[in-house]
Amino acid sequence: MTRRSLGSGAGVLAASLLAFIGVGALWGLLRPTYEGRLVGGGQVAIEPAFNVEFTSYITFAAATGLLAAVVALCVYTASPASRGPGMLWWLIVVAAVSTFAFWQVGLVTSSLLHPLPEPDSLDEGAFVEFAPGFRPGVTLVAAPLMAALSYWCAALVTPEPEEVSASIQ
């Protein structure tokens, strides 16, 4: 490996992590919550609401997949010298690491904004609002899949340099 390819790979990792962490924090702040009233025995009576877990799940998959596709296409267009299978595999790894960072930052910001209530510290009938736990499951592979697919599709539709020069003449 050359210094240039290492630098290019490090730049991709840094830019991807920054983007995913920023959007992950925003996702955590915008996550829907359950609302309810504290009832006897430290239990919460949740008011009827749409499926908060599903909304968090689908927005996680969409946000990470879209971000990974954008990062992959930006890398493909901005760095023609690094194009190839090595960068494709590196983007898959970067997308996986960035998705994990997105998830963790989102959980931290969500828990800071909507902490779980301490049942002993509240009176019965008190209003509570909280974001439920989140397990991404199979959506952890959405970003690596979208990164690979976007990068591969960009490579597939980009004409070879010989074809471009022949069509100009």
Side-chain angles (χ1 to χ4, degrees):
M1 271 199 195
T2 65
R3 281 186 178 263
R4 176 172 245 161
S5 64
L6 285 175
S8 176
V12 168
L13 178 63
S16 181
L17 280 173
L18 284 174
F20 274 70
I21 286 171
V23 177
L26 183 63
W27 174 78
L29 293 174
L30 297 176
R31 272 185 70 197
T33 58
Y34 281 121
E35 298 173 350
R37 299 269 174 211
L38 195 63
V39 294
Q43 303 226 349
V44 177
I46 297 175
E47 295 174 8
F50 58 94
N51 194 335
V52 171
E53 287 90 352
F54 179 74
T55 303
S56 293
Y57 188 80
I58 202 69
T59 56
F60 178 87
T64 57
L66 182 63
L67 271 173
V70 168
V71 167
L73 291 174
C74 287
V75 168
Y76 188 83
T77 57
S79 182
S82 67
R83 290 179 184 166
M87 183 55 78
L88 174 68
W89 286 106
W90 179 240
L91 280 169
I92 292 169
V93 170
V94 165
V97 169
S98 298
T99 299
F100 186 76
F102 181 105
W103 174 30
Q104 294 305 308
V105 168
L107 289 181
V108 168
T109 56
S110 180
S111 67
L112 290 174
L113 186 61
H114 304 290
L116 288 174
E118 292 289 330
D120 299 337
S121 65
L122 298 173
D123 295 328
E124 190 172 325
F127 175 78
V128 292
E129 181 180 15
F130 64 95
F134 178 76
R135 293 187 195 141
V138 74
T139 60
L140 285 174
V141 299
L145 177 67
M146 288 302 294
L149 188 62
S150 300
Y151 194 84
W152 181 77
C153 285
L156 187 66
V157 299
T158 303
E160 293 293 321
E162 308 86 52
E163 294 174 13
V164 171
S165 63
S167 67
I168 294 174
Q169 295 175 357

